[in-house]
Amino acid sequence: MKLTHILPLLTLTTAVYAAPQSFDFKDPKGVNNAVFKLDAPLESINGSANGISGSVSFDAENPSATTGKITVTTASLTVPNPMMNGHLHSDKWLDATKFPEITFEVKSLANVKTEGNATTADVTGTFTLHGVAKEITAPIKLTYLKDKLGDRVPNMKGDLLVIRANFKINREDFDINKGQYEDKVSPTIDLSLAIAGAAVTK
Amino acid sequence: MKRLLQLLAVLILLAAGMTWLATGANRGWTKTSVAVKTLDEVTGIEGITYKKQFLPGVDFLGAALGGAALLAGASFLFRKPKANNQPTNNQ
C-alpha cells in the first residue's frame, strides 16, 4: 500500500477515534461566573458567584457525547447589600454551611447543532441546590477554542471550552422557603452561566 | 436642650439627603459594594468583581428620617425655659 493511500486512512482513523478532552473549569483568572436574578418589590436582587470548579469531557468531533459536572460554592454567592448577603447564606435561605455546593451534572445533550466552533444544544442534567436534586433541561452553547489557552494563560498550551447557559429555576422546587415570602422575593430565579474551561496539551 | 435636639434632627436629615443625592440617588437598597465588569477578550466572558463602595439607598434615608423624628420627638420632653422677669414678693 502506498503512502498516499495510508495517510488519508490514518487521518480518518484519528478523527473517528479522537479522544474526548477533559476541560478543567477552575479558572486561574477568576472570570468564570454564574449570575442570578430574582424579582423583588423595590428592586430586583442581582448577584453573582465565582467559586466555580468542575470538569467537562468534550469531543469536538462528537459534541453530543459531552459529559461532566460543574460545582458552584454556595458561600461564593454575593449580592451588594450586606444584610441580604447574610440572609442569603443563612439557614433561612441557602444554608451555605449545611449545603456548601450547588452542582449540575450533565446527563445528555439533545438537539445538538454545530456551526464552526460553536455548538448549541439542550442539556439535561441533575441540578442540586439546597440539598435537593432535580432533573432540568436548559439551552446551552459550547464554544470550542482550539489552541487558545496560551492567549489566556501565558506559557501554557491547550484548548479552551466556553459554556454559556441561561435558565430559570423555582426556589420552591428546592425547598427554599416554600410558599413563603413570595411577596418579597419571587419564587422564580433567573440563572446565567458563563464559564471557560482549559484542556492542557502536553 | 430643646433647640439643640431639633437642630440635630434637621442636620441629620440634611446630611442624609445630601449624601444620598451626592452618591447617585439610589432608589434601591443600600449597598456596600458595587459590581465591576471586566471583559476577558479571549473567551468573551464578562467577569464580575465587587469593589467596596458605600451606596446609600432608601433604607438609609428611612433610618435617617427615623433618627431625626426620634430626636425631634425627644425635644418636646424638654420644656421651654420660662422667662425669669417676674418680680419677687419676698422683700
Side-chain angles (χ1 to χ4, degrees), chain A residues 40-62:
Chain A
L42 185 61
E43 65 174 340
S44 60
I45 300 165
N46 294 291
S48 65
N50 58 7
I52 295 168
S53 60
S55 70
V56 168
S57 172
F58 176 80
D59 183 354
E61 301 296 326
N62 185 19

Side-chain angles (χ1 to χ4, degrees), chain A residues 29-33 35 42-43 46-48 50 78-82 84 145 148 151-152 160 162 164 194-196, chain B residues 26-35 37-50 53 57-59:
Chain A
K29 292 192 89 178
V31 172
N32 284 351
N33 66 78
V35 173
L42 185 61
E43 65 174 340
N46 294 291
S48 65
N50 58 7
T78 308
V79 289
N81 181 284
M84 269 185 210
L145 302 171
K148 287 285 183 186
D151 292 354
R152 199 161 183 254
L160 292 169
V162 180
R164 291 174 192 276
I195 54 174
Chain B
N26 167 33
R27 280 181 275 180
W29 299 109
T30 296
K31 296 166 181 70
T32 54
S33 58
V34 288
K37 290 182 178 178
T38 46
L39 181 73
D40 180 80
E41 288 182 359
V42 179
T43 60
I45 296 174
E46 267 195 338
I48 300 169
T49 51
Y50 288 89
Q53 188 181 324
V58 289
D59 49 338

